[in-house]
Amino acid sequence: MRICILFLLSLLGHTALAELLDARMHHLRSNGDAEWDEYKNDPIEGARLDLNFNSHKNTNEWTLFVRQRDVKVVWPVQPNGKTITNLFLSEDNLVNAIKIPAGALLDGTNKLSIVGPKEHDDIEVGEIRIENQPRVEALDRGQFTLHVTEHGKASPCRVTIVNSSGALAPARVDAAHAAVRPGVIYLGDGSGVFHLPMGRYTVYVGRGFEYSVSTQHVMVAHDIGTIPNRINVALRREVDTADYVASDTHVHTFTFSRHGDATDEERAITLAGEGIELPIATDHNVVIDPVTPAKNTGMDRFFTPVRGDEVTTGHAHFNIFPVDANATSPNWRINDWPELMQQMRAAPGVKVVILNHPRNIHNHFQPFASTNFNARTGENLRGPEFSFDAVEVVNSSALQSDWMINFRDWMALLNYGYHVTGVGSSDCPDVSLYIVGQGRTYVACDDRDPAHINIDRACENFLRSRALISMGLLAKIKIDNKYSVGDLATNLKKEIRVVATIEGPGWTAVDQVQLFANGEILREEKFAPIYKPGVKKRIEWKIPKPHGDAHLEIIASGPPVTAPFWRIPKPYQPTSTSWNPRVIGATNPIWIDADGDGKFSPPRLQKTSN
Ligand SMILES: [Zn+2]
Ligand SMILES: [Zn+2]
């Protein structure tokens, strides 16, 4: 089937020709069974799309518009059998504007193919249109200027642009410091001129988890031009994070990791645009300089960059930080953990070692596979005791099908007696496929000047578990109005008072709060989702003092964000075709010294009373 409609657009004194090759969306599957439940009952049209159409030879660059959704792996785009690019790597529903190089189209019949890869992927693709103009012109039928401020000062931000079909829409942006992808634009200085094709758009402006999101409507039409052509947004901070710094302990760049697509300068802009104050640069097996790109873009006003390294071995990945500028990366060929740990601890400057994404499989090795780790007792089945300081329980680029699995593993480690800090991070290597800082850790530390955070103090508090794990919510815990996260609570009365406070912006909600003691749910409340900005929920529980020492944590969660400005991604290595995304806020432990001996004894080492 072939649909061919010609539009003549008389614009700006010249004539542009647009040809709609295909108005429909197609469901393609490259291999295997349905990737997700949503595709199970939806017929597939094949593993590739081929469209025949008539054209003229393009003697200059033309533009191909393609709508796509749920693209996880590489699908080449081929006019007449020659790859000009791939579909944009993104699960999002988006429209991409692709440059067709001069000479790629011929006089007469042409074929456009979108070719399925070997890997397993369900995608939707269609609404394909060609314009006989270069991309810069095809994206410029109207323009508006945006200014974003916080307390009157220009603020870094993320701008998300969606068309009337709900798809991320491509734009061209003039700005001093920007990272631009289809429908996603980070502005370092809060200002930019946006050029858009004809259409109606919803424009979301925000700055990550702690901030409000402003929703604007823009129309670009032939007869009226662009309305409005000037937008001013004043961001509001909705989440009070005083005395905590927003850290993303796991951050990549394409420049140094060679995967994803964010250059080191784009990384600086995206970190500032998501409100991260203490980013740890953790490219693979290399100690990079994250300071220069922050300075070059002016983003060093908004955060304190930390040198780190993702020590990427055949048997697990570890993040180490801070690393001195002149240090070399530890030998990643060592698979023996005690030997590796010695090397990592010996790297100049290093204070913290995190075990990354322990349920992910890399090089056929899964750190917490049942052969390596006893998930009930927390025991290392490979021999010697664990010696890392912290473990990722939320990694927003590598979410698990069962989001609680990492928390259960971590609590088993605590029960065993390991004092390991639970961490949230993003592991983000790109600008828009994942969101940098979506998973993050709030570390107790003076945050009044984000450009000069005391890294030593932050590391000290991180090691003492004075840290909160966040992906859309922030949970805090207080005992007897005195002890908070990371504290040893001693001299307790028969009854103790536990207060959980759950915070978040107005665009996330909480509907469940659980209190855990030694890995078991001690108290739980479920309720209708609360979207209130700031403090969403405060719960006070009076509980009898436990019989033995116990570690207490709060885990709060709520319905997922599905809006395009902060969509929760699908699991990275799914173990199921269904998934249950949630926003999450969790605390690290408060250690309850129930027997009053002045220290915390883990459940494994306690005498059983019966
Ligand atoms: Zn990794
Ligand atoms: Zn990583």
Side-chain angles (χ1 to χ4, degrees), residues 220-279:
V220 182
H222 185 34
D223 44 350
I224 56 159
T226 308
I227 297 177
N229 59 16
R230 196 175 179 82
I231 298 173
N232 294 318
V233 170
L235 292 175
R236 287 188 319 276
R237 192 183 281 242
E238 294 187 336
V239 190
D240 176 18
T241 59
D243 300 323
Y244 282 95
V245 296
S247 181
D248 189 341
T249 55
H250 196 161
V251 171
H252 291 282
T253 63
F254 173 76
T255 311
F256 295 102
S257 284
R258 308 316 287 181
H259 61 87
D261 67 10
T263 66
D264 54 353
E265 292 197 353
E266 287 179 323
R267 179 50 71 226
I269 296 163
T270 51
L271 285 164
E274 292 291 338
I276 289 293
E277 298 164 310
L278 192 71

Side-chain angles (χ1 to χ4, degrees), residues 2-9 16-24 52-54 128-131:
R2 181 163 99 68
I3 305 162
C4 181
I5 304 166
L6 294 174
F7 299 99
L8 267 177
L9 309 167
L17 195 66
E19 189 179 6
L20 183 65
L21 304 189
D22 189 351
R24 286 182 48 223
N52 291 313
F53 63 100
N54 286 316
I128 297 170
R129 194 161 59 87
I130 285 179
E131 287 202 26

Side-chain angles (χ1 to χ4, degrees), residues 164-455:
S164 54
S165 323
L168 291 171
R172 188 164 71 72
V173 180
D174 300 325
H177 300 113
V180 183
R181 296 294 183 274
V184 177
I185 299 98
Y186 286 89
L187 296 176
D189 308 306
S191 290
V193 180
F194 287 70
H195 306 261
L196 291 165
M198 301 282 192
R200 285 170 182 274
Y201 300 96
T202 305
V203 178
Y204 302 99
V205 182
R207 199 190 164 199
F209 169 68
E210 296 174 28
Y211 289 84
S212 58
V213 169
S214 163
T215 305
Q216 308 282 332
H217 298 282
V218 174
M219 186 156 85
V220 182
H222 185 34
D223 44 350
I224 56 159
T226 308
I227 297 177
N229 59 16
R230 196 175 179 82
I231 298 173
N232 294 318
V233 170
L235 292 175
R236 287 188 319 276
R237 192 183 281 242
E238 294 187 336
V239 190
D240 176 18
T241 59
D243 300 323
Y244 282 95
V245 296
S247 181
D248 189 341
T249 55
H250 196 161
V251 171
H252 291 282
T253 63
F254 173 76
T255 311
F256 295 102
S257 284
R258 308 316 287 181
H259 61 87
D261 67 10
T263 66
D264 54 353
E265 292 197 353
E266 287 179 323
R267 179 50 71 226
I269 296 163
T270 51
L271 285 164
E274 292 291 338
I276 289 293
E277 298 164 310
L278 192 71
I280 322 283
T282 53
D283 284 304
H284 300 286
N285 299 323
V286 59
V287 181
I288 70 149
D289 165 22
V291 179
T292 304
K295 282 209 166 99
N296 288 347
T297 52
M299 296 302 101
D300 58 334
R301 306 194 302 282
F302 302 105
F303 58 78
T304 303
V306 180
R307 282 184 181 80
D309 178 11
E310 182 169 15
V311 182
T312 307
T313 77
H315 283 69
H317 301 181
F318 296 90
N319 274 355
I320 58 172
F321 62 90
V323 186
D324 290 353
N326 55 1
T328 49
S329 182
N331 183 355
W332 56 269
R333 288 184 179 82
I334 301 172
N335 284 333
D336 176 67
W337 282 18
E339 193 190 341
L340 179 68
M341 194 61 70
Q342 254 179 15
Q343 278 245 347
M344 292 194 290
R345 300 248 184 236
V350 167
K351 293 189 165 73
V352 179
V353 179
I354 304 175
L355 173 63
N356 295 342
H357 43 67
R359 286 277 173 176
N360 283 10
I361 301 166
H362 294 288
N363 291 306
H364 310 289
F365 184 84
Q366 184 188 33
F368 282 179
S370 60
T371 44
N372 299 332
F373 174 68
N374 184 330
R376 200 176 46 78
T377 63
E379 192 187 350
N380 181 8
L381 300 178
R382 295 173 70 224
E385 303 241 314
F386 292 126
S387 55
F388 45 83
D389 305 308
V391 63
E392 285 183 341
V393 292
V394 171
N395 177 316
S396 57
S397 299
L399 292 171
Q400 303 295 322
S401 291
D402 167 10
W403 66 273
M404 271 301 290
I405 193 168
N406 292 320
F407 283 97
R408 286 195 298 269
D409 291 344
W410 172 49
M411 289 184 190
L413 291 169
L414 299 175
N415 285 349
Y416 186 88
Y418 293 116
H419 188 138
V420 284
T421 300
V423 183
S425 77
S426 79
D427 200 357
C428 182
D430 32 56
V431 170
S432 66
L433 168 56
Y434 296 105
I435 298 174
V436 77
Q438 189 167 39
R440 56 175 68 187
T441 304
Y442 281 91
V443 183
C445 200
D446 187 340
D447 65 331
R448 281 170 296 180
D449 180 2
H452 298 97
I453 289 165
N454 185 328
I455 296 172

